[in-house]
Amino acid sequence: MVQALFANQRESNLASTLALVEGVLGELGHDPAGCRIDSTALHEWRIAKGSAVAHVALVDRTEFTHFRVCAIVMTLDDKVDRAALHAHLLAQNAQLCGVAFATEDDRVILVAERSTLDLDRSEIRNVIARVTTDADDHDDALVAKFGGTRGAVT
């Protein structure tokens, strides 16, 4: 009985979070159906702000679904001084609020993630704004200083 109750709570949480995220995307001028992408996430959308492209996703985690926003800020090449770049990114993390730089293979990403438990509309809007604005603000400067290319190499 407890297992079924927990499953209903997860499903209910996912459904309400999905509605909130799609509502916020619409408020921000994005067509939720038009920017939805197929992925391994439960639900995922691709949105752009300036030169930054972000992925907004609902991902399966052990206790609750998580809300994750991630933008590829730059793609590294062999000429990038990775040690200097990593030191710079760590220093930048200390200045950011609610988001962090990370690396994933040859990409520098900006990411924010949290549980959907008690997540509200203003938090969704804030996380999307922080990731997309910070990614757009930093991509050109990082590429100019360290090399590589802005965003993802396709």
Side-chain angles (χ1 to χ4, degrees):
M1 182 66 162
V2 172
Q3 190 76 353
L5 178 62
F6 184 68
N8 282 341
Q9 186 180 20
R10 282 183 69 96
E11 290 173 21
S12 169
N13 173 268
L14 176 59
S16 65
T17 302
L18 176 59
L20 282 172
V21 169
E22 290 195 333
V24 169
L25 289 172
E27 291 169 9
L28 294 172
H30 304 285
D31 171 27
C35 59
R36 184 180 292 258
I37 60 174
D38 289 328
S39 73
T40 58
L42 298 171
H43 298 278
E44 188 167 358
W45 305 264
R46 181 181 299 120
I47 60 171
K49 178 177 181 183
S51 58
V53 176
H55 289 244
V56 176
L58 299 178
V59 294
D60 192 28
R61 297 288 190 243
T62 303
E63 291 184 21
F64 272 92
T65 302
H66 276 204
F67 171 66
R68 179 179 174 90
V69 182
C70 178
I72 299 172
V73 177
M74 65 186 292
T75 300
L76 309 181
D77 57 32
D78 293 337
K79 297 175 186 166
V80 173
D81 181 347
R82 291 170 190 249
L85 172 63
H86 292 162
H88 179 79
L89 295 176
L90 284 173
Q92 290 298 304
N93 279 345
Q95 304 302 314
L96 297 172
C97 177
V99 299
F101 282 108
T103 57
E104 189 176 75
D105 299 321
D106 284 338
R107 295 179 300 271
V108 171
I109 62 173
L110 198 60
V111 64
E113 181 174 328
R114 81 176 292 290
S115 167
T116 57
L117 184 62
D118 298 327
L119 181 66
D120 66 31
R121 179 177 298 281
S122 66
E123 290 172 293
I124 292 168
R125 189 179 194 74
N126 182 272
V127 169
I128 291 171
R130 282 185 190 276
V131 171
T132 57
T133 299
D134 286 346
D136 189 40
D137 288 350
H138 286 90
D139 58 1
D140 292 321
L142 287 171
V143 168
K145 185 170 184 169
F146 295 100
T149 56
R150 186 177 61 205
V153 173
T154 56

